[in-house]
Amino acid sequence: CLEKHRQMLRSMLMTACDLGGVTKPWEISKQVAELVTSEFFEQGDRERAELKLTPTAIFDRNRKDELPGLQLEWIDGICKPLFEALAELNGRTQPLVNGINANRTKWEELYTMYRQSHDAADASNR
């Protein structure tokens, strides 16, 4: 049982290392998100061209304006729960959670601007 817990903690720490960009200051975190998204778009382009599939939203270049909302889903569904669990185990990792929360606020602001412009465009098309 202890070995399974160690293995789980190791997995959580490796994942946290992989997702660490979300904890960095906003300019760095945003740049990491944009770089990762550009890789996803390339994969989505290949799916569309070679496999004749419609890529999921995060891989679909045609839906790039939805990035703030997709980032919020990713933060809320994956990043925050992971880093909050690690902070419960070791309070010294709380600054990482604080970084995520600060970046989430920025993504929320961008998402609100996107929704307002999208809603305005919809209203003018009626």
Side-chain angles (χ1 to χ4, degrees), residues 26 30 34 65 67-69 72 104-117:
W26 170 243
K30 184 173 184 267
E34 290 169 347
D65 294 339
L67 179 61
L72 290 171
R104 191 195 184 288
T105 298
K106 294 286 195 176
W107 285 115
E108 182 80 49
E109 291 169 5
L110 291 175
Y111 178 71
T112 299
M113 290 178 2
Y114 164 75
R115 288 299 320 153
Q116 288 171 344
S117 68

Side-chain angles (χ1 to χ4, degrees), residues 27-51:
E27 289 303 321
I28 295 169
S29 184
K30 184 173 184 267
Q31 185 178 21
V32 168
E34 290 169 347
L35 288 169
V36 169
T37 300
S38 71
E39 290 178 25
F40 287 173
F41 288 163
E42 289 176 21
Q43 180 177 333
D45 293 345
R46 285 192 306 274
E47 289 175 6
R48 181 175 275 117
E50 297 169 17
L51 303 175

